[in-house]
Amino acid sequence: MAEVKIGILGAGGIARVHASNLTKDERVEIVGVADIVPERAASLANEVGKAKPVQHLEELFELGVDAVYVTTPNTLHVEPVLKCLDHNIHVFSEKPMATTLAEAKQIREHAKRSKAIYNLGMNRRFASVYKRVKELIASGELTPYLAHIKMNRGELLNPAWTADPEVTGGFIYETPVHLIDLCRYLFGEVETVRCVAKQNLSEKELDTFAIMLTFTSGTIANFVTYAHAGWSFPFESIEVYGKYTTVTTQELEKVMVASGLNQPIQIEDFYQLTTDVKWGYVEEDRRFIDAIIDGTEPPVPVEDAYRSAELIEAIYESAKKGKEIALNEKR
Ligand SMILES: NC(=O)c1ccc[n+]([C@@H]2O[C@H](COP(=O)([O-])OP(=O)(O)OC[C@H]3O[C@@H](n4cnc5c(N)ncnc54)[C@H](O)[C@@H]3O)[C@@H](O)[C@H]2O)c1
């Protein structure tokens, strides 16, 4: 008998990634898969074994789930997350937490009242390359004075909804949200945000961003992200500069550490790992189940999720008002 009964809401691409991990965890049973398109629910339910295909969240509740994975499109996370929390059912929400700060605040309030765990899917924190960078900072080998971050994953052509801010919540809520969150994870809380953004090719939204962040830790970071760069390798990279030290990542594949003058560069290459491990999905799913069973800290708890939502709102506010935003003054 499995210890944790899981339901999945939204049987698309990322649901399959989580379902594949969860079916390998003997503590877990996926008992139901819900999707507004019945064939999609049936198809994923069939892939995971004994799960029942249904259409709505409430039907997952009727199956007696302990936890729900919310893997619907971006602007459809808030309502099911709130319902889960209000029913004291643990919830793993895919990114973004919400696409407005008011909704993120609502989730934080409901999570505080609930007996259930809220977790946000921020797999980059558990990706091999970024875990290595985090270790270098934590061990003191790298003191991050300055960082340059690039996130050009996408082209906003396929699938078509990625170009529709009504569905995505805005370009930053799509893939850049991952590295926005990672910045906080690596460098600590943000003090100020300055953003210059333009609308170049998109018909409906800002698509070109240069963001400058200062952190209470003293780090300064420059973050660039452009919606139509295409998928040219590396889609994402970070460069972090310390005392005679430069740490550079290439995509989710490689970390290069130059740790002194006249020193060889150490390269760690994660190419051979499977994507689900290398991208952090296996670890985030395992940690979520650990949190439910053992009471350990969820991989990305609600306050952490909220702070990233707050940062994204400040980025858009700075772009629109053309001024620096001080985050501490807002809290
Ligand atoms: N962490 C990551 O690396 C990562 C990767 C991909 C997607 N995501 C996020 O996961 C979410 C899903 O993305 P995807 O690529 O799997 O999308 P998708 O379009 O492949 O799947 C979404 C599914 O949700 C279903 N759906 C829509 N509205 C619904 C509703 N009201 N009730 C039930 N089902 C509903 C759709 O029919 C579809 O099957 C998005 O928020 C996306 O940003 C995260």
Side-chain angles (χ1 to χ4, degrees):
M1 177 85 171
E3 291 172 74
V4 183
K5 287 195 213 166
I6 301 264
I8 294 177
L9 181 76
I14 198 65
R16 283 185 160 71
V17 174
H18 294 299
S20 161
N21 294 333
L22 294 168
T23 49
K24 290 177 197 129
D25 187 332
E26 57 192 21
R27 302 170 297 173
V28 166
E29 188 186 351
I30 302 175
V31 295
V33 176
D35 199 294
I36 39 159
V37 181
E39 303 80 63
R40 293 193 189 158
S43 163
L44 182 57
N46 190 40
E47 284 169 35
V48 300
K50 286 184 287 181
K52 186 172 178 196
V54 296
Q55 266 186 283
H56 305 292
L57 180 66
E58 287 70 16
E59 294 169 88
L60 294 177
F61 292 169
E62 284 162 20
L63 293 172
V65 293
D66 302 300
V68 170
Y69 271 67
V70 173
T71 50
T72 46
N74 296 8
T75 43
L76 298 172
H77 295 169
V78 177
E79 192 187 320
V81 162
L82 293 177
K83 280 188 187 162
C84 287
L85 292 171
D86 292 349
H87 282 79
N88 295 319
I89 288 171
H90 307 298
V91 62
F92 182 119
S93 168
E94 257 308 336
K95 43 73 41 173
M97 179 189 203
T99 53
T100 66
L101 193 59
E103 288 173 322
K105 211 170 263 177
Q106 225 185 335
I107 291 176
R108 184 171 68 164
E109 280 161 14
H110 284 241
K112 278 184 186 153
R113 287 202 297 268
S114 177
K115 293 193 186 90
I117 292 166
Y118 171 88
N119 181 66
L120 182 67
M122 283 283 125
N123 57 296
R124 293 297 191 290
R125 292 182 177 213
F126 308 102
S128 308
V129 291
Y130 298 130
K131 277 174 69 172
R132 183 72 190 114
V133 177
K134 179 80 174 165
E135 274 167 24
L136 288 163
I137 294 172
S139 68
E141 283 173 81
L142 170 65
T143 302
Y145 296 127
L146 187 63
H148 181 69
I149 290 124
K150 176 189 90 167
M151 180 57 133
N152 282 349
R153 185 175 287 281
E155 77 299 289
L156 298 204
L157 293 174
N158 292 302
W161 63 260
T162 56
D164 185 356
E166 300 288 323
V167 181
T168 63
F171 172 61
I172 298 285
Y173 291 102
E174 253 305 284
T175 40
V177 61
H178 282 292
L179 291 198
I180 291 287
D181 174 73
L182 191 82
C183 282
R184 288 187 46 258
Y185 187 54
L186 294 178
F187 311 131
E189 288 311 331
V190 171
E191 209 163 42
T192 62
V193 179
R194 262 177 257 179
C195 174
V196 178
K198 287 197 169 178
Q199 189 169 344
N200 281 312
L201 299 181
S202 296
E203 285 173 14
K204 296 183 179 169
E205 61 169 331
L206 295 168
D207 55 12
T208 309
F209 294 79
I211 303 161
M212 200 181 286
L213 303 169
T214 65
F215 295 80
T216 50
S217 62
T219 306
I220 301 170
N222 186 37
F223 188 117
V224 294
T225 184
Y226 169 56
H228 312 280
W231 299 84
S232 69
F233 187 90
F235 313 126
E236 62 185 78
S237 65
I238 70 172
E239 283 187 23
V240 190
Y241 314 114
K243 187 178 178 187
Y244 302 117
T245 308
T246 299
V247 174
T248 312
T249 62
Q250 239 182 34
E251 188 48 22
L252 293 157
E253 303 292 326
K254 223 183 255 187
V255 182
M256 288 153 286
V257 184
S259 50
L261 300 170
N262 306 318
Q263 298 292 315
I265 290 176
Q266 298 157 35
I267 297 178
E268 269 179 88
D269 193 334
F270 300 98
Y271 169 74
Q272 302 225 114
L273 300 182
T274 56
T275 303
D276 52 356
V277 171
K278 184 165 51 181
W279 284 49
Y281 297 119
V282 168
E283 186 168 335
E284 68 170 351
D285 285 329
R286 181 177 46 73
R287 281 174 179 257
F288 177 58
I289 304 302
D290 289 348
I292 294 172
I293 295 176
D294 305 327
T296 48
E297 176 91 334
V300 183
V302 74
E303 187 59 33
D304 230 351
Y306 177 78
R307 293 282 171 110
S308 289
E310 187 183 57
L311 177 52
I312 294 178
E313 180 124 326
I315 289 169
Y316 277 112
E317 188 184 343
S318 173
K320 280 175 197 149
K321 294 186 176 160
K323 62 169 202 175
E324 180 178 282
I325 307 294
L327 274 169
N328 285 340
E329 284 170 17
K330 287 181 150 264
R331 284 187 196 123

